[in-house]
Each structure stands twice: as C-alpha cells, then as structure tokens.
C-alpha cells in the first residue's frame, strides 16, 4: 500500500506570509497531483508533476516534485485570504489506475 | 475540459432507507470511476473503483453489500447506500477517468445525512 504523509495538517497564517506544504512517501509515484478543496465541494486540480525534479509555477504557487519522485512540496508566496482551503496531494501509482491521497493541509489565511 | 456532474449535492434520509448517488461524465467517456468518502476535516478515502461493464473493486473494509456500485454505461456510475445508518453520514465524492483523459475529474460531492 502506498502512503502519502502530508504536513502540516493545519496552518493558520496572516495575509502576506509565505508557506510551504510537504507531501512525503517511501514509495515512488509515476506522477503527483495537488488539489484544492473548498467546503462542500469536490477537489479541484491545481497541477500535475511528472518528472523527478520538476518545478511548476502557477502564479503565487510553486510546486516541486522530488528527484526520486517520492515527495513533493507546494510553496505559496504572499498568501491571500482567497487561498484558504484544504490542500491535498495525491500520488498516482505506476499502473496509472489509482490515486492515493495525502491527509490534507487545512490552510487559513487571515486578513 | 472534462466535467463530472454528481447528484444530488446533499440528501437527508431516514435510518434504514437506501440512497442513490449519481455520477455522470458530461463530455467524455469515463472508462473508470472512483468513489471516495470524506469525513469532516479529513482527506479522501477511496471506497471502490469501477470499470464500465465490470464489477467494482472495493477497498479493504468497505462493505460491498452496503455500498452498491453500478457502472453500466461509459457516462454514468451510481453508488447506492443501502439500509443507511447515522454512521454512514459523510461526504461522498466520485471521480472519473477516460481513455483520452489522463487526469482525474472530480464531482462536486454529495453530503449524506442519515437521521
């Protein structure tokens, strides 16, 4: 069974601060996805990283996939209240037929 | 882009009754659909995977006779919670994947409350 450990579980920061969320595993994933979920809604895909060492930027969000494809990070610069939500990482197995979700990071950005 | 519609968005039912949740892929053929359960402030837990025309594969600990999954067409999968009890109250989310779509598209979820 592939497991993904996500940290921190909860983060409360002031508007304008930077933050990093980590997603770690002892297993190798063919790709890793980051999602954001708002209360009462399904997860919305933010990015997919596929290549070890890959870095992708989405405005103030920077995603990195570890060289060994076992870990990933999400860095948010100058957080805004609109960034508040549940952030989920999910790894795809090598067979490409299943996603394993991390435990989630609940982010609250205070104005 | 790929869109998945999940219905209903919320439902309240009496204990002992059955509830059906639908998951439809609107603009692509979903060869595989996934059903997740999410408790408050927790992550998504995979319940089962279903391929069109085949029986669903359930994760360990998920009762297949309680959570009936049907994936009879390439655009529709249903999850029926049979003889629902208050402990079945949760947020249920479906996800679909097609032959030409490499990603996973999620529905908006169904909040089930059993009273």
């Amino acid at each position: 069974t592939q497991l993904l450990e996500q940290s921190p579980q909860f983060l409360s920061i002031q508007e304008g601060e930077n933050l990093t969320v980590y997603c770690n595993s002892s297993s190798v994933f063919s790709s890793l996805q980051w999602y954001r979920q708002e209360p009462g809604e399904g997860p919305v895909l933010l990015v997919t990283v596929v290549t070890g060492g890959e870095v992708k930027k989405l405005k103030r969000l920077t995603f990195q996939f570890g060289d060994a494809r076992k870990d990933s990070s999400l860095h948010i610069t100058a957080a805004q209240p609109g960034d508040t939500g549940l952030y989920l990482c999910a790894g795809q197995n090598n067979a490409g037929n299943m996603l394993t979700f991390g435990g989630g990071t609940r982010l609250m950005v205070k104005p | 882009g790929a869109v998945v519609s999940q219905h209903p968005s919320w439902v309240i039912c009496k204990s002992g009754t059955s509830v059906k949740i639908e998951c439809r892929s609107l603009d692509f053929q979903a060869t595989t659909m996934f059903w997740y359960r999410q408790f408050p402030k927790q992550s998504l837990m995979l319940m089962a995977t279903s391929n069109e025309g085949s029986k669903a594969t359930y994760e360990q600990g998920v009762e297949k006779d309680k959570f009936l999954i049907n994936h009879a067409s390439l655009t529709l999968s249903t999850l029926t919670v049979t003889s629902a009890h208050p402990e079945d109250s949760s947020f249920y989310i479906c996800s679909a994947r097609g032959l030409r779509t490499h990603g996973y598209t999620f529905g908006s979820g169904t909040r089930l409350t059993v009273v």
Side-chain angles (χ1 to χ4, degrees):
Chain A
T1 304
Q2 295 180 305
L3 296 175
L4 271 171
E5 302 255 351
Q6 200 171 330
S7 62
Q9 291 183 338
F10 181 76
L11 194 55
S12 179
I13 60 173
Q14 292 295 135
E15 181 177 2
E17 292 183 4
N18 302 332
L19 68 117
T20 302
V21 178
Y22 299 93
C23 188
N24 296 297
S25 176
S26 58
S27 304
V28 176
F29 293 98
S30 63
S31 67
L32 198 136
Q33 303 180 351
W34 284 92
Y35 294 84
R36 179 165 164 246
Q37 184 183 22
E38 306 226 20
E41 298 181 12
V44 174
L45 180 66
L46 296 174
V47 78
T48 299
V49 284
V50 179
T51 307
E54 182 177 5
V55 176
K56 281 192 174 179
K57 289 192 175 185
L58 187 66
K59 295 184 181 179
R60 293 176 294 100
L61 278 61
T62 302
F63 304 86
Q64 187 165 6
F65 202 13
D67 292 339
R69 289 186 288 130
K70 294 181 180 180
D71 54 87
S72 181
S73 63
L74 156 61
H75 183 79
I76 301 179
T77 304
Q80 299 176 359
D83 296 328
T84 294
L86 178 66
Y87 289 82
L88 297 157
C89 65
Q92 176 160 280
N93 62 353
N94 288 327
N97 58 4
M98 194 170 82
L99 277 183
T100 299
F101 278 87
T105 295
R106 192 163 297 278
L107 172 65
M108 180 179 293
V109 182
K110 300 174 185 177
Chain B
V3 178
V4 169
S5 173
Q6 190 172 337
H7 180 81
S9 56
W10 61 271
V11 57
I12 302 173
C13 71
K14 288 186 177 180
S15 188
T17 61
S18 295
V19 174
K20 180 184 284 188
I21 302 170
E22 292 187 348
C23 183
R24 293 180 185 272
S25 56
L26 299 185
D27 50 2
F28 69 101
Q29 293 183 326
T31 50
T32 307
M33 284 195 174
F34 307 85
W35 287 95
Y36 296 85
R37 185 173 181 177
Q38 186 176 31
F39 290 106
K41 300 184 179 180
Q42 294 188 22
S43 186
L44 280 69
M45 298 297 293
L46 180 65
M47 298 174 67
T49 302
S50 72
N51 292 299
E52 185 265 338
S54 303
K55 286 185 179 180
T57 302
Y58 289 81
E59 294 299 300
Q60 192 173 4
V62 178
E63 298 176 58
K64 60 181 180 181
D65 294 330
K66 181 167 188 61
F67 298 100
L68 300 179
I69 291 172
N70 184 284
H71 191 174
S73 79
L74 283 172
T75 58
L76 174 65
S77 177
T78 60
L79 166 67
T80 301
V81 183
T82 62
S83 186
H85 290 286
E87 57 265 30
D88 298 325
S89 298
S90 190
F91 193 56
Y92 293 87
I93 306 173
C94 71
S95 171
R97 191 173 186 216
L99 279 176
R100 295 196 179 94
T101 59
H102 297 291
Y104 300 77
T105 304
F106 286 82
S108 55
T110 297
R111 180 157 304 284
L112 169 64
T113 302
V114 185
V115 297

